[in-house]
Amino acid sequence: MTEELDWNAKIIDEFRTNEGRVGGAFEGAPLVLVHHRGRRSGQERVSPMMYLSHETEPDIVYVFASKGGAPTDPDWYRNLLAAGEGAVERGTETYRVSVRELDGAERDRVFAEQARRYPGFAEYARQTAGIRVIPVLELRRA
């Protein structure tokens, strides 16, 4: 198991054991487990990630394909876009979601709010400036 997969497995286990809460670097942060199917392998995968709730719609969350400021998009992002759907574990609830990528002013507004709340996202944007724009996906309960 790679170091990244091992780290993800620990977060996933802690999330499920503690009804959606984890400690360490993510303590107190809103975290979801996103289920997606590999676009080439067809294998189901689960990725832990921070999210931002929609201001007024409880059935919408936003996730950010920051990949820690890496120059390439994460695989989960490409998998979700290809499928157009997935599932989310949020707290103790699991549900299906549809996927929509945000663009333009809408994307910029949502990303800016996440970066305001969690400055690490602003740093990721600085690291990727001129290389890629960090994608933002809307996950809406299906």
Side-chain angles (χ1 to χ4, degrees):
M1 185 176 279
T2 69
E3 190 174 319
E4 180 184 357
L5 289 177
D6 186 46
W7 184 83
N8 279 350
K10 288 177 184 174
I11 295 290
I12 291 165
D13 182 55
E14 185 177 1
F15 181 98
R16 289 175 174 159
T17 299
N18 297 300
E19 299 181 335
R21 292 180 306 276
V22 298
F26 289 116
E27 186 168 2
L31 196 69
V32 289
L33 303 181
V34 177
H35 296 245
H36 51 98
R37 191 162 298 285
R39 64 198 178 287
R40 291 189 298 256
S41 71
Q43 280 189 308
E44 170 133 350
R45 305 203 186 276
V46 178
S47 299
M49 58 191 79
M50 289 178 64
Y51 72 92
L52 177 67
S53 294
H54 187 279
E55 314 78 54
T56 59
E57 296 290 330
D59 289 338
I60 296 175
V61 298
Y62 302 107
V63 293
F64 306 86
S66 64
K67 199 176 179 182
T72 59
D73 293 326
D75 287 337
W76 64 258
Y77 159 75
R78 292 190 296 270
N79 291 342
L80 284 170
L81 272 187
E85 63 181 10
V88 166
E89 287 181 59
R90 189 174 174 194
T92 59
E93 186 178 16
T94 301
Y95 55 90
R96 303 292 305 163
V97 293
S98 61
V99 176
R100 179 177 74 92
E101 185 166 12
L102 305 186
D103 60 9
E106 182 183 28
R107 179 255 170 230
D108 295 346
R109 179 185 56 77
V110 171
F111 189 86
E113 179 59 22
Q114 182 72 351
R116 184 188 70 75
R117 292 181 188 197
Y118 301 96
F121 284 86
E123 179 57 29
Y124 301 151
R126 279 190 288 280
Q127 291 172 5
T128 60
I131 300 168
R132 70 181 181 102
V133 174
I134 295 172
V136 178
L137 296 181
E138 175 188 275
L139 305 181
R140 178 186 294 262
R141 185 186 297 259

